[in-house]
Amino acid sequence: MNFFLQLLFAGVCVGAAYALIAMGLSLTFWTTKTLNFGQGSILMLGAVAVTALMAAGLSALPAVTLALLGTGILMLVVERVAIRPLLRSDESMGWVVSTLGLGFFVQGFVAKFFGSQAISVPSIIFDSMSFVSIAGVQVSAQSLSVLVVSAALMVGMEVFLRTSAWGRAVRAVAHDGAAASLAGGPVRKVVMISFIASGVLAGLAGVLLSQINGTVDPAFGFNLMVFGFVAAVFGGMGSVLGAMVGGVTLGVIEKLVGGYVSSSIESAMAFAILMVILVWRPQGLFGQAEINKV
């Protein structure tokens, strides 16, 4: 029982970080109906930036703040350079290639200046030897901090989207960008802010997950981006609650399979189970099927 609870807690904590990535992907999907396939590289860049800044002598808080500012600005550049020009043609799917290319460019840039080998990540709040006892189960303090930060951000995002004027503007653009523009809505500003927020969420997820992993390398973000994408689709693209449930479900299945079956197939088995569920509900757990009336 104790082993099961340890796996459960570990899955929930890691899944909460997956949910942050899913939330970032959903934000850009809401406003432009595109996905940034370079999100994993931006995620990795956040963790590398914090490591480099702290190695240069900055304390944790300013290092994290500067890193997240950088990933937010970089995401805005992605929107201006790799997505916006290609959306002028409704039929173009060029943004898939351009965002992938920009992601590989960032990955190569980091490999050039920091090397392709994994580098150790400094502890920000807790070190790897800090544990907290919950219901008789020893839980890593680092993993618990990931869960607390991720849950607080998700709740804050849900409240922001439902109660603030900017949140209503985001939902209006997500529903029908053309109609929102005709009604005088600040569509361009909403898109820009959604990309900046997506970059900050990606950077933060990278910082949090690198704390659990202990190291970061140029390829660190690619698999995590895939996990975030699966969590977003499983929960229902466009749903904050869906991102959270999708991420936690993926994390728990992954850890249980790794603990009871084999760690070598934990990701494959988790994806297989989620695919079976999506066959039953293609729009995801909290997504809404589109209905077209002619």
Side-chain angles (χ1 to χ4, degrees), residues 43 46-48 50-51 121-122 124 142 146 204-216 220 224:
L43 183 154
V48 170
V50 168
T51 304
V121 175
I124 294 179
Q142 286 181 335
V146 170
L204 184 59
V207 173
L208 294 173
L209 283 166
S210 68
Q211 289 293 297
I212 297 177
N213 199 48
T215 61
V216 62
F220 174 73
L224 295 174

Side-chain angles (χ1 to χ4, degrees), residues 74-90:
L74 179 58
M75 197 67 173
L76 188 60
V77 172
V78 171
E79 191 271 336
R80 294 294 297 269
V81 174
I83 293 179
R84 191 193 301 185
L86 298 169
L87 291 181
R88 291 171 187 155
S89 172
D90 292 338

Side-chain angles (χ1 to χ4, degrees), residues 33-277:
K33 297 297 181 286
T34 65
L35 291 170
N36 175 21
F37 288 98
Q39 189 97 344
S41 296
I42 294 175
L43 183 154
M44 172 273 299
L45 188 62
V48 170
V50 168
T51 304
L53 290 170
M54 290 183 71
L58 263 68
S59 55
L61 183 59
V64 172
T65 304
L66 285 175
L68 298 188
L69 184 63
T71 54
I73 293 173
L74 179 58
M75 197 67 173
L76 188 60
V77 172
V78 171
E79 191 271 336
R80 294 294 297 269
V81 174
I83 293 179
R84 191 193 301 185
L86 298 169
L87 291 181
R88 291 171 187 155
S89 172
D90 292 338
E91 304 297 326
S92 174
M93 293 289 287
W95 51 267
V96 175
V97 178
S98 61
T99 55
L100 267 175
L102 200 141
F104 283 124
F105 173 79
V106 172
Q107 192 171 319
F109 179 83
V110 170
K112 170 70 177 177
F113 288 97
F114 296 94
S116 57
Q117 301 299 314
I119 54 177
S120 179
V121 175
S123 300
I124 294 179
I125 302 176
F126 303 104
D127 59 39
S128 58
M129 300 304 292
S130 300
F131 289 89
V132 177
S133 179
I134 299 177
V137 177
Q138 294 296 310
V139 181
S140 164
Q142 286 181 335
S143 298
L144 198 59
S145 65
V146 170
L147 174 61
V148 171
V149 172
S150 300
L153 278 174
M154 300 297 278
V155 171
M157 183 65 73
E158 182 71 9
V159 172
F160 171 78
L161 289 173
R162 290 187 179 277
T163 61
S164 71
W166 276 101
R168 287 191 287 272
V170 169
R171 286 189 286 134
V173 173
H175 180 68
D176 191 333
S181 180
L182 288 173
V187 177
R188 286 302 322 151
K189 289 183 180 178
V190 168
V191 171
M192 290 168 60
I193 290 174
S194 71
F195 271 77
I196 293 173
S198 175
V200 171
L201 287 175
L204 184 59
V207 173
L208 294 173
L209 283 166
S210 68
Q211 289 293 297
I212 297 177
N213 199 48
T215 61
V216 62
D217 61 73
F220 174 73
F222 184 78
N223 286 341
L224 295 174
M225 188 270 292
V226 174
F227 283 122
F229 179 67
V230 172
V233 173
F234 176 66
M237 192 67 80
S239 167
V240 174
L241 179 60
M244 193 69 187
V245 173
V248 169
T249 303
L250 179 60
V252 168
I253 293 175
E254 181 188 355
K255 292 300 177 186
L256 290 178
V257 171
Y260 286 107
V261 184
S262 170
S263 59
S264 61
I265 62 167
E266 60 184 23
S267 299
M269 187 64 75
F271 285 166
I273 293 172
L274 296 182
M275 284 172 62
V276 171
I277 297 175

